Amino acid sequence: MTRPITSPSLACVAGLVALVPLAVAAQPAPTGWSTVANTATPLPGASATFNSFNQPSVNGAGLVVMRARGKGAQGGGEPPRGIYARQMGSTPGPLTAVFDTTTAVPGPNNAGVGGAPVAFTEFPAFARIGLQDDTIATRGQSNPLWVYTLPDGSETRVGTSGVYTLRRGSGLSVAGQFGAVPELAYYGVPGAPPGTRFDQFPGAPAVGGLGRIAFKGNWAEDGVGKTGVFVRPANARQPEAPALRIASSDSLIPGEPEGGMRFGSTAPPSAAGNQVVFLGLDSEEAPTLGGIYLAPMQHLPALTPLVQIGQPVPGEPSREPFTRLGEALSFDGRFLAFWASWGAETRSLLLTCPTDGNADLIAYCLAQYPDGYRVEVPLNQGFFVHDLRTGRTLRAARTGTQHEDFLYWTYSGRPPGSGGGDGDEGGDAEPPRWRSAAFAAVQAGARGAEVVFKARTYGEPVVDGLHWAAVGLRQTVETPLLRTGDAATSVDPMAPAGASITTLGVERDSLRNGWLAINASMLDAVTGEAWAGVYVARTR
């Protein structure tokens, strides 16, 4: 059954996890926002101020890391941009550049002109940081990094995309496209034939304990595309340490007999301590098998299923099964927060092409979808928390009377014949397509898990909001934090007095040890003055 976006909201269904009135909140929600950086903040090392910000990440000590862009253009005609960090607290530290488009890409890097190393050109995903340390991980793009000679005597260049970290003050290359280079064979795909290189690293890499970096990698064998989840240490003392393969499209789905179904897709992982979690499915488009798995950071370890397709939905009297699970997982070593949907009812949405960003991508979208693109969105959606200690899965929020949608759509990828994609998570050398994502972050609280999530209510206007949920075995207590349409000065006293919040963002590593980091954009509809920033609040 399909319902249009103008249909009334579903009645709230009572479940195993009750929703109690907001006035009796058992645990305090975040209050009091502090500015990490905003439109008035100068970019480190550049004669410009910031213009836009992606969703930030934060570690347990309040060190915030973010991807951001500046105003105007620099030497190459593009605005300055990069990955930036700032220590927050009672006396915030200075804003610093982790990597930007003036930074030399950590080696291997021998392809520069006149002895100058090649610099970064773009950072295609949000940056992440370790829960208990200051190791920062990001994807990075550049012009080719390495020149070498083929057996026939011809010269070739490789290395335009990789995974990079800043650890203990040193920039390091964790993963790159160098596996076919004889002297750099340790960058090859582990378990694949010698000389097999990674093609791309979709999504955002995650930081585990001791600087170990978990990432998704794509490659090909005999013309067959493959994908998997890998871990490699960021260790300057062991530059040739090999990557470890956690799981891949060569792996049997747990519970399948030999010769049975293997993973058709794996999603970018999350990590904490010596463990990773990831979504693995038989089919990304129409899954019937698979789920969310836990694994130690070892080569081809046993996978422990945490949540699976077909498992009954907790909190639903009908006990309908999960039909879809989201790939964006927030994980702190004990609690796992994830999005899921169930049931056959859908809502019809008409998606329109982007108006800002890469011109080639916009043109390609308009050529493919001049009248927009219609999708069917599950009517029954929720955010859930799985407790590794107890084995229980509890509901944090569901669509119903208060929330109508948790999915947000983007059009991204690399148009045929184009030099690049939109510079966001879709810039993975994959064809352009519509992608959806849900946003939530989790931390351990005094009485259970605490979750911040993003939700939408349809109407005139459409309202997006960030919400706080204290999730316990006997009850879940929810509190609204910020909504689009709220006064911009409610989060940033420097914002234009007449401006309202227009967008809000949170990511899977945005809530750590009592620190909540978000990004927001604002606009004065009368004067047209825009504002944006990254902000933190304390939750305890």
Side-chain angles (χ1 to χ4, degrees):
M1 177 180 178
T2 298
R3 298 186 183 181
I5 64 172
T6 54
S7 65
S9 301
L10 289 177
C12 185
V13 180
L16 298 181
V17 184
L19 185 67
V20 300
L22 301 179
V24 296
Q27 295 175 329
T31 57
W33 297 99
S34 299
T35 301
V36 180
N38 62 19
T39 302
T41 304
L43 274 79
S47 58
T49 55
F50 284 104
N51 184 58
S52 63
F53 303 86
N54 286 87
Q55 299 96 321
S57 300
V58 64
N59 73 357
L63 179 61
V64 179
V65 59
M66 58 193 176
R67 173 181 179 243
R69 288 174 176 258
K71 297 178 182 178
Q74 51 187 11
E78 293 287 335
R81 56 205 179 275
I83 306 299
Y84 304 91
R86 189 180 186 192
Q87 178 65 57
M88 300 302 292
S90 56
T91 305
L95 184 71
T96 61
V98 177
F99 300 117
D100 63 19
T101 48
T102 67
T103 306
V105 179
N109 186 344
N110 76 351
V113 178
V118 177
F120 286 110
T121 58
E122 189 54 270
F123 304 92
F126 76 99
R128 305 180 73 172
I129 189 169
L131 171 61
Q132 297 177 329
D133 64 20
D134 60 359
T135 301
I136 294 169
T138 181
R139 276 178 53 212
Q141 292 181 183
S142 66
N143 293 320
L145 293 168
W146 194 257
V147 180
Y148 72 106
T149 302
L150 296 173
D152 63 5
S154 62
E155 185 179 272
T156 190
R157 295 168 180 254
V158 295
T160 59
S161 182
V163 174
Y164 303 94
T165 70
L166 184 72
R167 176 165 168 77
R168 295 176 177 171
S170 298
L172 300 170
S173 171
V174 173
Q177 300 163 320
F178 307 115
V181 182
E183 62 266 40
L184 302 176
Y186 51 89
Y187 278 99
V189 179
T196 302
R197 72 176 184 92
F198 285 107
D199 295 325
Q200 193 50 263
F201 309 95
V207 182
L210 302 178
R212 290 166 291 199
I213 310 301
F215 61 92
K216 175 180 176 176
N218 291 349
W219 75 100
E221 292 182 34
D222 297 325
V224 177
K226 297 190 176 185
T227 185
V229 174
F230 302 85
V231 170
R232 189 164 185 256
N235 190 335
R237 296 181 179 179
Q238 295 178 304
E240 299 185 9
L244 307 175
R245 185 188 295 203
I246 301 297
S248 72
S249 44
D250 291 329
S251 304
L252 282 169
I253 295 176
E256 286 288 282
E258 187 62 38
M261 188 66 68
R262 300 178 186 272
F263 288 121
S265 71
T266 56
S270 289
N274 190 38
Q275 297 178 308
V276 296
V277 291
F278 70 95
L279 176 68
L281 302 169
D282 60 339
S283 168
E284 183 179 4
E285 294 76 19
T288 61
L289 286 175
I292 300 170
Y293 300 94
L294 173 76
M297 291 182 177
Q298 302 170 3
H299 186 62
L300 295 178
L303 305 179
T304 300
L306 300 180
V307 183
Q308 295 178 284
I309 296 291
Q311 175 181 324
V313 179
E316 294 299 308
S318 63
R319 304 297 283 172
E320 287 189 86
F322 286 125
T323 55
R324 287 187 177 273
L325 299 169
E327 67 174 41
L329 309 177
S330 182
F331 179 56
D332 71 353
R334 175 183 173 182
F335 291 110
L336 164 75
F338 64 96
W339 172 92
S341 69
W342 62 97
E345 290 184 297
T346 61
R347 170 185 287 110
S348 180
L349 293 179
L350 182 65
L351 307 178
T352 57
C353 292
T355 57
D356 296 321
N358 182 273
D360 291 337
L361 184 73
I362 295 171
Y364 187 81
C365 181
L366 290 171
Q368 297 294 312
Y369 309 107
D371 300 318
Y373 179 71
R374 190 163 293 279
V375 294
E376 302 300 320
V377 177
L379 207 58
N380 295 306
Q381 309 172 31
F383 286 110
F384 298 84
V385 174
H386 181 83
D387 186 345
L388 272 66
R389 184 176 300 174
T390 66
R392 293 180 178 271
T393 301
L394 303 177
R395 192 178 73 211
R398 78 169 332 270
T399 48
T401 56
Q402 185 173 185
H403 312 299
E404 293 186 272
D405 205 349
F406 298 133
L407 290 179
Y408 292 83
W409 293 83
T410 59
Y411 186 75
S412 58
R414 177 172 296 180
S418 169
D422 63 353
D424 213 320
E425 290 209 25
D428 300 328
E430 296 178 349
R433 64 183 176 92
W434 290 99
R435 293 170 168 86
S436 64
F439 301 97
V442 69
Q443 69 177 4
R447 305 178 187 178
E450 298 169 345
V451 180
V452 172
F453 63 91
K454 186 175 178 179
R456 169 165 288 183
T457 300
Y458 294 105
E460 294 294 339
V462 173
V463 175
D464 292 326
L466 297 181
H467 302 263
W468 170 269
V471 184
L473 179 60
R474 298 186 179 183
Q475 65 179 22
T476 288
V477 181
E478 186 180 319
T479 305
L481 297 180
L482 292 167
R483 302 185 306 171
T484 54
D486 287 351
T489 51
S490 65
V491 68
D492 189 341
M494 291 182 65
S500 299
I501 296 174
T502 55
T503 63
L504 290 162
V506 70
E507 257 298 350
R508 61 206 82 172
D509 294 344
S510 290
L511 182 64
R512 253 76 176 282
N513 194 32
W515 291 95
L516 170 62
I518 68 166
N519 66 303
S521 298
M522 301 87 155
L523 178 68
D524 187 323
V526 176
T527 67
E529 187 175 3
W531 198 261
V534 168
Y535 308 95
V536 295
R538 295 293 284 146
T539 69
R540 59 183 66 151

